[in-house]
Amino acid sequence: MVTGIVFHEEYLKHEQSPTHPERRERLAYTMDQLREEGIFESERIVLLEPFKASLEDVLEVHTEEYVRFLEMESKKGGIIDFDTNIPVGVFDRALLAAGGAIRAAQAVLNKECENAFAMIRPPGHHAKPYIGAGFCYLNNMAIMVKWLLKQGFERIAILDWDAHHGDGTQEIFYNDDRVLFISTHQMPLYPGTGYPEECGTGKGEGYTVNIPLPPGTGDEGYMMVIDEIIEPVVNEFKPQFIAISAGQDNHFTDPITSLALTARGYAEMMRRAVAMAEKHCDGRLVAVLEGGYSVEGALPYTNLGIIAAMAGFDLSAIREPENYLPELLWRKRDSALVKLKHNIEDVKRVHSKYWKCFK
Ligand SMILES: [Zn+2]
């Protein structure tokens, strides 16, 4: 199994401010860790050079008015919302991030690799057609999925496991039955959407599956969600391509969320996703980096876990950041599992109308 990794030094140059959580060290530390572990020397890893997404591909998702606004503001600096400003030069970097996601998908289609991880910045899943939001400018995932649809794919499953609800991606595919959007996210948390009742509209009714997670949800909770919701729906949908919005802010050290997933848990989730891709789509799977703000305690470890699972390495070597282990004890809550079981029942009740597996 060969796994592609999309990366470019330009991704380290994007910065809203030195103290902003979405900062360059997120990827810089990960790259250091991957080099230290000798990942790039493995014959199962291939480094992929990204290109800038074309305006044509971006306009499949975003309005021309917003794209022009972003391009103009990016020349002098501007602001979108309280936590998303427009640094000078972000337009080109956002195009390179979106192009990085497309590059990953292209590499899988060209059989340069079996699956690929786009380690890109800035992230994208909160960006809506008409405006960016929540550290996001262009919706990298949606731009890649629209590109895949243009290549002739008819059933694509997006699994968005970022700790925040992927409201932008949901909105873009809300009435589309070709794209199954499944999101797990902490609730309550920004952006405040992602209830089970939000399940799509028109032709897309039933093709949006939202699974809210109580604060304190750990590895067991995530595995329960995969067993009871994600895998049954994916098996019934039979995707031709699996795309993962790989947010890494579920880790127990993340400073802006309250979930309790471990690096080992991330690796296990990816192993399950890879198995689903092998079962349904000849292994075709792309992961696109979204959030994740524990730059030292999580990202180097979780990214390594994800890559190891994608490339089929031995996962027993995946470690947790030792200095932070006490945090796991107070962050993980057994009561979260009780609440999560109720949430899972809610999701099944809403979706029993659409999916045989829940009848
Ligand atoms: Zn997030």
Side-chain angles (χ1 to χ4, degrees):
M1 188 134 64
V2 173
T3 293
I5 296 179
V6 176
F7 177 74
H8 197 289
E9 289 291 326
E10 200 64 27
Y11 294 147
L12 302 180
K13 294 185 185 156
H14 168 59
E15 185 166 78
Q16 299 206 44
S17 75
T19 53
H20 194 284
E22 207 290 278
R23 59 188 196 263
R24 62 186 68 182
E25 287 82 2
R26 294 183 58 224
L27 273 188
Y29 288 3
T30 288
M31 290 306 284
D32 289 348
Q33 178 90 2
L34 296 182
R35 287 187 191 111
E36 204 174 290
E37 302 275 349
I39 287 292
F40 296 111
E41 282 135 45
S42 166
E43 55 193 24
R44 285 197 240 160
I45 299 291
V46 51
L47 200 54
L48 302 166
E49 175 103 1
F51 44 73
K52 281 189 199 170
S54 69
L55 273 184
E56 189 192 339
D57 286 331
V58 171
L59 291 172
E60 289 285 328
V61 168
H62 295 284
T63 63
E64 190 158 357
E65 190 187 3
Y66 170 58
V67 174
R68 294 291 163 224
F69 161 80
L70 189 62
E71 186 179 17
M72 292 308 290
E73 293 295 292
S74 168
K75 287 182 181 151
K76 58 180 178 57
I79 188 157
I80 291 179
D81 63 29
F82 182 67
D83 49 25
T84 317
N85 57 38
I86 303 178
V88 172
V90 74
F91 185 64
D92 285 333
R93 289 179 189 132
L95 286 178
L96 193 66
I102 294 176
R103 177 71 185 95
Q106 182 198 59
V108 170
L109 297 200
N110 291 348
K111 300 202 186 310
E112 292 168 69
C113 50
E114 193 167 357
N115 53 37
F117 185 16
M119 291 208 319
I120 57 180
R121 292 178 64 237
H125 74 151
H126 296 305
K128 300 189 166 77
Y130 46 89
I131 194 70
F135 318 164
C136 303
Y137 305 91
L138 299 178
N139 196 311
N140 307 314
M141 170 56 75
I143 291 168
M144 179 187 83
V145 167
K146 289 273 189 180
W147 182 85
L148 281 167
L149 290 169
K150 278 208 283 188
Q151 310 308 307
F153 286 98
E154 291 167 341
R155 288 186 314 283
I156 298 170
I158 300 175
L159 171 55
D160 184 325
W161 73 41
D162 190 278
H164 302 90
H165 179 233
D167 54 340
T169 313
Q170 168 171 301
E171 184 169 325
I172 291 158
F173 297 110
Y174 208 54
N175 58 7
D176 198 329
D177 61 353
R178 299 169 300 171
V179 179
L180 171 66
F181 175 73
I182 304 177
S183 177
T184 58
H185 43 270
Q186 181 186 324
M187 187 169 276
L189 190 68
Y190 175 91
T193 48
Y195 289 88
E197 290 75 13
E198 295 163 40
C199 59
T201 186
K203 265 201 316 187
E205 202 179 328
Y207 292 91
T208 290
V209 181
N210 279 305
I211 309 148
L213 307 173
T217 299
D219 293 3
E220 299 88 338
Y222 273 92
M223 294 311 139
M224 193 190 290
V225 168
I226 293 178
D227 287 338
E228 299 212 16
I229 306 282
I230 297 175
E231 220 170 60
V233 174
V234 167
N235 284 343
E236 198 169 327
F237 181 67
K238 297 187 176 56
Q240 299 161 319
F241 201 105
I242 294 181
I244 298 180
S245 264
Q248 317 226 11
D249 37 11
N250 314 316
H251 192 261
F252 66 86
T253 61
D254 196 275
I256 67 171
T257 68
S258 315
L259 295 166
L261 192 63
T262 65
R264 201 57 99 69
Y266 268 103
E268 183 58 21
M269 291 216 300
M270 183 53 89
R271 195 186 64 75
R272 299 284 296 267
V274 166
M276 285 185 251
E278 277 166 0
K279 181 170 178 183
H280 295 291
C281 28
D282 224 359
R284 286 186 293 270
L285 177 147
V286 164
V288 175
L289 183 64
E290 299 285 0
Y293 308 101
S294 173
V295 292
E296 281 179 303
L299 280 157
Y301 300 89
T302 54
N303 280 324
L304 181 64
I306 285 172
I307 291 165
M310 292 177 80
F313 294 145
D314 175 16
L315 298 187
S316 63
I318 300 302
R319 294 174 294 127
E320 305 305 322
E322 273 166 32
N323 297 343
Y324 295 84
L325 276 175
E327 288 188 36
L328 181 58
L329 292 177
W330 63 258
R331 185 118 151 193
K332 196 172 145 194
R333 289 190 220 154
D334 290 338
S335 61
L337 270 183
V338 179
K339 173 82 178 92
L340 178 60
K341 284 179 186 162
H342 287 289
N343 292 359
I344 287 175
E345 288 314 308
D346 280 347
V347 176
K348 287 181 177 172
R349 180 179 47 76
V350 169
H351 280 278
S352 60
K353 238 165 100 181
Y354 312 112
W355 300 95
K356 287 195 206 90
C357 55
F358 299 138
K359 282 198 172 37

